[in-house]
Amino acid sequence: LEAELLLAQQAAAGEGLAALAEELGEALAFTRRFIRCDVLDEPLRELNLCGYSAAQLREYSHYPDKHLGQPHFLPSHTDSPALLAVNRLRTLVRQTELSAYAAFKDADGAVTRGDIILGLNRLSSLMWIMMCKLKGGQYERH
């Protein structure tokens, strides 16, 4: 997941999308916190990514037309490499979320790290928000 974040960040920077590259850097730092929280048995704490609260991440990703002026869409091969890199990243975040759900269960099947699973879910929401902002031309190119 970290490797894909770095590649997506590189793609964004290569297309002159500095703000997107910066946001992906924030997502990378957030992702790296998962390992620390797991190893040290620390809670993930308050979730705030790129200026969005956990509730806003959910709301904006579910209703991008209302909040971002960009309706839901299906990515296409004609989309920019940065958008496709973020899309690939979004699917990998989802795969990681499912893996975490399987990994963080106790002997009785109860989830032991719901905070990390929720964090991954909201990270996926952030990736969709980024995709909608890209599709809607909301990132300036420099």
Side-chain angles (χ1 to χ4, degrees):
L1 180 55
E2 287 183 30
E4 287 296 330
L5 275 158
L6 287 166
L7 289 170
Q9 194 175 23
Q10 183 182 56
E15 290 184 39
L17 299 164
L20 175 60
E22 186 176 319
E23 288 179 356
L24 288 165
E26 188 175 328
L28 176 63
F30 179 70
T31 300
R32 289 176 172 164
R33 282 181 34 206
F34 294 138
I35 295 169
R36 176 187 171 85
C37 290
D38 181 38
V39 170
L40 299 178
D41 199 29
E42 296 176 348
L44 192 55
R45 294 188 299 268
E46 183 64 25
L47 207 155
N48 191 316
L49 284 168
C50 301
Y52 299 101
S53 68
Q56 288 173 318
L57 287 165
R58 186 180 189 285
E59 173 71 18
Y60 280 45
S61 67
H62 280 73
Y63 304 103
D65 194 15
K66 175 181 172 184
H67 298 286
L68 304 169
Q70 173 61 50
H72 288 284
F73 66 96
L74 295 173
S76 166
H77 72 282
T78 59
D79 287 318
S80 73
L83 189 144
L84 296 178
V86 175
N87 183 54
R88 181 178 172 141
L89 187 54
R90 182 183 58 84
T91 63
L92 185 58
V93 172
R94 283 289 190 206
Q95 289 173 349
T96 305
E97 179 186 357
L98 292 173
S99 294
Y101 184 75
F104 294 124
K105 288 186 181 179
D106 64 17
D108 298 324
V111 173
T112 60
R113 292 306 308 249
D115 58 335
I116 291 176
I117 294 168
L118 178 63
L120 286 162
N121 181 273
R122 295 306 182 255
L123 185 59
S124 172
S125 295
L126 178 63
M127 297 302 114
W128 181 245
I129 290 168
M130 289 176 179
M131 289 174 63
C132 288
K133 288 171 63 176
L134 274 165
K135 189 73 166 177
Q138 295 177 31
Y139 287 106
E140 288 187 39
R141 292 182 188 272
H142 298 284

